[in-house]
Amino acid sequence: MTLPQIAQQLDKAAREAKPIPQFSTNTPFSLSDAYKIQLTSIQRRIERGEKITGFKLGFTSKAKMEQMGVSDLIWGILTDDMLIEDDGEVRFSKYIHPRVEPEVAFLVKKDITQPISYKEIPEYIESFAVAIEIIDSRYENFKFSLEDVVADNCSSIGYCIGEWHELEEQIHDLKLELIINSEVVQSGNTKAILENPYQSIVEISRLATETGLTIKEGYVVMAGAATAAEWMPKNSTIKASLEKFGGVGFEVEE
Ligand code: OOG
Ligand code: MG
């Protein structure tokens, strides 16, 4: 199977919400080919009229790496089709086997065209917010290799962002909880995200720009989950809450 064929099958699986077997067991491909497949599948979305809205990082916490049995930082691309309004609603039937995770998001205020250092962050980042990511692997049983998940745009399907807050010096030691139907189902700390969520900006600035992509003004960067992910139930209320900075959430309909 060619790389564009793999991209086409992943894109179709996402659109139809029908899982497919993982590829790497029968058609091994390299990590750099996996990122090419990812970009080709995003290209298909762009051809349908979607717009790129940012980047996401994955496996920035130990909890996530252990849950999924994968131990390398990965990144993917977000589009406007994936944005869920705060206090909004999603339809369960749009997904295959969705999971939710509590995250921190950043808003970019100046194009990032080269790797930036930790100290340069205030020059490029406007604000941060508590966020929820919905992930929905296109692979049967949510089972994949590192290459498979990268090709699948790191399981991206939805992101929901709370109120933006001015950049604070200290966001590396804050309680971050995931709440389903008023019950705290995951409780973590922002330091689980690469010791400090700001580090996700440093990482994506290197990873995206080395492939020639610009992290544009107005884009969002999702820093990665602070805890393991939880299954997203039908007819439920999903929330994330960040110590001192409030919450974000949405309803899940049939
Ligand atoms: C891959 C995506 C991981 C995160 O925040 O660590 C991720 C997956 O678990 O399916 O989004
Ligand atoms: Mg995530």
Side-chain angles (χ1 to χ4, degrees):
M1 211 181 315
T2 65
L3 305 188
Q5 280 167 342
I6 296 177
Q8 190 261 338
Q9 288 205 13
L10 283 164
D11 183 52
K12 185 164 178 272
R15 270 188 298 138
E16 296 178 354
K18 284 211 186 90
I20 53 177
Q22 67 186 103
F23 292 103
S24 67
T25 31
N26 292 323
T27 315
F29 51 87
S30 68
L31 191 58
S32 91
D33 280 349
Y35 279 103
K36 282 186 199 145
I37 296 167
Q38 181 191 118
L39 207 53
T40 306
S41 80
I42 292 295
Q43 208 59 49
R44 298 177 68 90
R45 285 175 172 267
I46 290 168
E47 279 158 20
R48 291 197 294 272
E50 292 180 36
K51 303 224 160 24
I52 294 178
T53 52
F55 293 92
K56 67 164 273 184
L57 288 110
F59 305 137
T60 47
S61 69
K62 255 211 199 97
K64 279 289 307 184
M65 290 189 220
E66 280 170 8
Q67 181 178 37
M68 304 316 295
V70 174
S71 59
D72 251 318
L73 197 120
I74 55 175
W75 60 277
I77 295 173
L78 304 172
T79 73
D80 56 349
D81 181 61
M82 302 176 193
L83 180 64
I84 300 158
E85 232 179 281
D86 186 12
D87 258 336
E89 284 165 17
V90 299
R91 291 268 229 67
F92 189 87
S93 57
K94 181 181 164 188
Y95 308 103
I96 301 167
H97 40 206
R99 285 173 157 168
V100 281
E101 30 187 47
E103 303 214 3
V104 172
F106 297 101
L107 183 62
V108 177
K109 70 173 174 195
K110 184 174 159 187
D111 285 7
I112 302 174
T113 56
Q114 56 189 39
I116 63 168
S117 68
Y118 188 88
K119 276 201 185 139
E120 289 175 294
I121 289 173
E123 196 184 326
Y124 292 92
I125 301 298
E126 175 88 27
S127 45
F128 74 93
V130 58
I132 299 169
E133 182 176 22
I134 306 180
I135 49 173
D136 196 29
S137 176
R138 266 52 71 168
Y139 301 115
E140 288 163 355
N141 306 315
F142 234 107
K143 280 259 156 42
F144 44 67
S145 67
L146 182 70
E147 292 79 13
D148 286 319
V149 67
V150 165
D152 185 26
N153 195 26
C154 307
S155 311
S156 302
I157 193 110
Y159 68 100
C160 183
I161 295 180
E163 202 183 312
W164 291 110
H165 300 280
E166 299 258 306
L167 224 55
E168 294 261 328
E169 281 295 314
Q170 306 293 349
I171 57 163
H172 68 276
D173 189 12
L174 297 171
K175 190 152 101 174
L176 180 53
E177 290 177 332
L178 178 68
I179 301 143
I180 303 187
N181 294 332
S182 308
E183 192 192 329
V184 176
V185 290
Q186 286 287 342
S187 183
N189 186 294
T190 51
K191 70 168 170 262
I193 305 165
L194 297 173
E195 307 287 334
N196 184 342
Y198 286 132
Q199 192 58 34
S200 293
I201 307 281
V202 174
E203 297 294 339
I204 196 67
S205 76
R206 178 175 55 80
L207 294 165
T209 64
E210 80 187 6
T211 56
L213 297 169
T214 295
I215 305 172
K216 293 190 184 155
E217 178 193 344
Y219 275 11
V220 162
V221 174
M222 295 282 286
T227 70
E230 290 284 334
W231 297 112
M232 183 178 91
K234 266 186 210 169
N235 301 316
S236 60
T237 304
I238 311 291
K239 289 198 168 120
S241 167
L242 179 64
E243 184 182 344
K244 292 201 269 180
F245 296 101
V248 61
F250 55 87
E251 302 282 326
V252 187
E253 317 272 294
E254 285 279 319

